[in-house]
Amino acid sequence: MSSQRTRVTAALLTAAALVGAAAPMAAAEGGRGGGRHGGPSGVQKQLDLLVGEDGVPGALAYEKGHRALRAGTAELGSGKPMVGPEGRFRMASDTKSFTAAAVMRLVADGKLRVDDRAGRYVPQLADSPMTIRQLLKQRSGLTEYARLIDWTKPNTAEGYLDLALKAGPEFEPGTQWGYSNTNYLVLGMVIDRVSGTDYRTYIERTILEPLGLKSTYWPARDELTLRGPHARNYGIHPAHPEQGQVDVTELPGYEFGASGGLVTTPGDLNTFWDALFGGTLLPGWAVRQMTHDTTDVSGRDVYPKGSRYGYGVASIPLSCGGEYWGHGGDLPGDSVGGGRASGGRGTVTVYTTTGAAEGSKLAHLQGAVDAALCDGR
């Protein structure tokens, strides 16, 4: 791959993007577009803030079976409204939830145990005590490999892991919590070894196909474009930061791997959350383990007070009481939030067409999720 494309990948795994202002435009589709007093819903207000105050080009919230709300434009300078729920986007680190579910499928099938040492399946970790459980929970101490890569040179999963191992651990396995894409890089390697097939193929066979997620896919090697309808994405191009905000829609998505490579639609992602937390994807005991064996991550990374991180999924408190379970993902070209709420309050996906992982952008994105799951309930 070219040096420009490989540098793009490094920034996508590690950086947040800054964008300029875009003119707001909003549309509601489906049954419940207005608020309780006939005005914009709380969700729409948050989307409008993302576009009007934060400069996000486009934003969408989709509640399964209820409504789609939009703000902004699908393409800067075009006047095109933001795409609807049929639009595809890169789900970024929400991919980790699919990878974790695939690991738990292997556990449920008796092919793997969460307390197995990772070195049993990944020879580079043969001398390490870290376990599958610690990888799932982001408690392995593995250094973030994306910060260490010379992206001008092609490499393999084994090569990326070697860089992280040479850098040394952030902490001893099990002693702390530290978010690192390297954990899920390794889990992809574990799935390869245990299933006897590539983790992409295994996830397709055990999750995407059974759930009918026809719009969700792994980009092929060297595939840069998004298939089907989609909005354009914007951010700071890592190879040309002096240019400021540019179009970063075309990216080497294959390189994001088991940590962040899947492309999806809001409807497909909602279907996944409903299947996972509704008990139709995995046995109930496996889901309980994913959501009960957790770490308090209040105020860490992008997680607000009261959040907990389990096996590739996280719980976030709701303003109306209870919580929702999902994950979240961020790239310079987009950010994703949402999941399934407790108490039968629904499922939602919210995404933006530039990174929204900090400051008011993050607050408004998370506010849109909260409003979607709490309004009128």
Side-chain angles (χ1 to χ4, degrees), residues 65-119:
H66 294 290
R67 62 178 175 179
L69 297 173
R70 300 178 287 168
T73 180
E75 182 177 3
L76 288 173
S78 71
K80 296 178 181 177
M82 178 61 178
V83 296
E86 75 285 355
R88 289 185 171 132
F89 61 95
R90 303 182 194 278
M91 72 166 74
S93 283
D94 275 21
T95 303
K96 292 179 174 67
S97 301
F98 287 70
T99 300
V103 170
M104 293 307 291
R105 168 49 57 193
L106 292 169
V107 172
D109 290 345
K111 297 179 180 179
L112 180 69
R113 297 185 308 159
V114 294
D115 288 321
D116 284 347
R117 288 193 310 107

Side-chain angles (χ1 to χ4, degrees), residues 189-368:
M189 298 166 72
V190 170
I191 294 171
D192 289 351
R193 180 64 63 90
V194 176
S195 71
T197 189
D198 177 75
Y199 68 83
R200 293 177 175 86
T201 300
Y202 184 76
I203 288 174
E204 287 171 354
R205 291 176 179 173
T206 60
I207 299 177
L208 306 189
E209 293 173 5
L211 297 183
L213 305 184
K214 295 182 180 180
S215 295
T216 302
Y217 66 91
W218 296 103
R221 192 185 298 274
D222 294 326
E223 182 179 12
L224 303 182
T225 60
L226 291 171
R227 305 172 196 171
H230 59 274
R232 307 300 296 182
N233 298 99
Y234 300 91
I236 304 300
H237 195 299
H240 305 288
E242 73 282 356
Q243 295 179 0
Q245 175 189 309
V246 295
D247 190 312
V248 291
T249 309
E250 295 188 357
L251 299 168
Y254 182 89
E255 301 297 329
F256 307 156
S259 290
L262 281 168
V263 174
T264 193
T265 62
D268 271 13
L269 189 51
N270 285 350
T271 296
F272 170 74
W273 295 133
D274 283 341
L276 177 61
F277 299 121
T280 60
L281 182 61
L282 292 170
W285 63 263
V287 180
R288 286 192 295 273
Q289 190 163 352
M290 294 176 73
T291 57
H292 284 68
D293 184 8
T294 61
T295 301
D296 183 351
V297 293
S298 295
R300 305 191 61 179
D301 198 63
V302 297
Y303 296 106
K305 183 178 180 181
S307 301
R308 302 193 67 85
Y309 197 95
Y311 293 9
V313 293
S315 67
I316 297 177
L318 290 166
S319 64
C320 53
E323 63 195 6
Y324 71 91
W325 280 93
H327 194 279
D330 300 288
L331 299 171
D334 76 312
S335 284
V336 188
R340 178 181 167 107
S342 60
R345 281 174 290 185
T347 306
V348 68
T349 289
V350 179
Y351 79 93
T352 60
T353 58
T354 193
E358 59 187 0
S360 62
K361 291 195 291 288
L362 176 61
H364 293 145
L365 187 151
Q366 292 181 338

